[in-house]
Amino acid sequence: MRTPRNDSLEAHTPERTCILSRRTASREELIRLALSPDGEVAPDVRARAPGRGAWIGVAKTELDTANAKGKLKGALQRAFKTNDVTVPADLGDRIAAALRQAALDRLGLEARGGTLINGNDKVDAAARSGKVHLLIHAADAGEDGRRKLDQAWRVGGGGPRGLEFPEERTILSMALGRENVVHIALTDPAAARRVSHAIDRWLAFIAPDAGLEGGSAAVGAGVGNELNEGTK
C-alpha cells in the first residue's frame, strides 16, 4: 500500500510493523485491527480500542487475497497470541467503510470548527486571495466548475488542481450538515493537513494505484504538519 504523505510523523509517533508485509512505518500510516471479546477481528482505524492490536500496511486487494488464502488469519493469531481468532470474509470491506467514515467525520468536524467553507463564490474568493490550503470537489461536480475553481486556486498560489472526493455531493452534504455541498475549501493549514491525511489513508487502502503521491489530496503551500486534534 502506498503511504500517505506525512513525512514528519516518523519523528513524532511510534512505529509499528505490518503483520503481512513486515514493513515498519509510523502508526499513522498503518491501520490497526482489534480483537472483540468474542474473538472476531474488527477495524480500529482510530487506534482507540483497548487491548493488543495488529497493524496492516497493505492495500485492500492484498489483504483480501491473504484473507482468502488463510495467510491473514495465521498472521493475526501470531499478533494476538491466540488461536481464538475469527476473521470475517468481508474484513477488507469493513476496513474500507471505517476509513471512509473517518474521512467524512473529519470533514464534519472541520465544518463545525469553522475551518471549512463551501459554495462556489466563497471558495473562489478565498482561493484567489490565497486563503485556501486544500480544495476538494465532489465526485459529481461539473467539469466547468472544477476547472474554474482549480484556476482560482492556482492564481492564489495553491496546488495545481483540487482533489476529487470519491463520493457525490449528497454524501458530502450529509457529512457537513449543509445543503448541496459540491466544492469544499479548507482555510486553515493544520485542518487541511488533517483532512488530507484522512482522505489519503482511505484512498491508499482502496485505490493505491490512484497515486497518493501524485493524485492524493494536494495541499497548498504553507500547510503545517499538525495531525493532533483536532485529530481525535
Side-chain angles (χ1 to χ4, degrees), residues 21-214:
S21 70
R22 307 309 301 172
R23 178 177 70 89
T24 298
S26 159
R27 55 183 284 163
E28 294 289 345
E29 297 179 10
L30 304 178
I31 298 167
R32 188 177 190 265
L33 302 178
L35 202 60
S36 69
D38 61 0
E40 184 173 72
V41 177
D44 178 28
V45 299
R46 292 180 173 86
R48 294 177 181 171
R52 184 181 295 275
W55 298 81
I56 58 167
V58 297
K60 183 177 183 296
T61 52
E62 297 170 78
L63 182 130
D64 288 343
T65 298
N67 196 4
K69 293 181 177 180
K71 180 181 177 182
L72 177 61
K73 183 173 184 178
L76 287 166
Q77 288 173 330
R78 291 188 293 273
F80 289 120
K81 300 186 183 301
T82 178
N83 290 327
D84 187 18
V85 173
T86 301
V87 186
D90 64 344
L91 179 61
D93 292 331
R94 297 187 189 191
I95 295 171
L99 291 169
R100 170 186 180 272
Q101 191 59 52
L104 291 171
D105 289 347
R106 181 75 265 160
L107 287 169
L109 284 170
E110 300 301 346
R112 293 190 291 276
T115 59
L116 179 155
I117 60 173
N118 67 286
N120 276 29
D121 292 343
K122 289 182 180 179
V123 172
D124 184 273
R128 291 182 183 279
S129 61
K131 297 178 181 179
V132 171
H133 298 276
L134 177 63
L135 177 63
I136 300 172
H137 307 299
D140 59 341
E143 184 60 34
D144 186 55
R146 294 188 201 196
R147 186 170 56 251
K148 288 180 179 178
L149 290 179
D150 287 347
Q151 181 181 16
W153 198 27
R154 290 192 296 271
V155 168
R161 63 185 183 281
L163 166 73
E164 179 181 330
F165 194 78
E167 293 287 354
E168 297 185 351
R169 68 186 71 188
T170 302
I171 300 300
L172 283 175
S173 299
M174 289 191 292
L176 272 60
R178 302 177 183 180
E179 294 184 1
N180 196 33
V181 178
V182 182
H183 306 283
I184 296 171
L186 278 298
T187 56
D188 175 79
R193 189 69 174 179
R194 292 191 293 265
V195 170
S196 175
H197 178 251
I199 295 173
D200 282 1
R201 285 186 80 207
W202 176 26
L203 294 181
F205 183 68
I206 64 173
D209 292 338
L212 290 191
E213 296 162 28

Side-chain angles (χ1 to χ4, degrees), residues 10 16 88 168:
E10 293 183 0
R16 297 291 185 267
E168 297 185 351

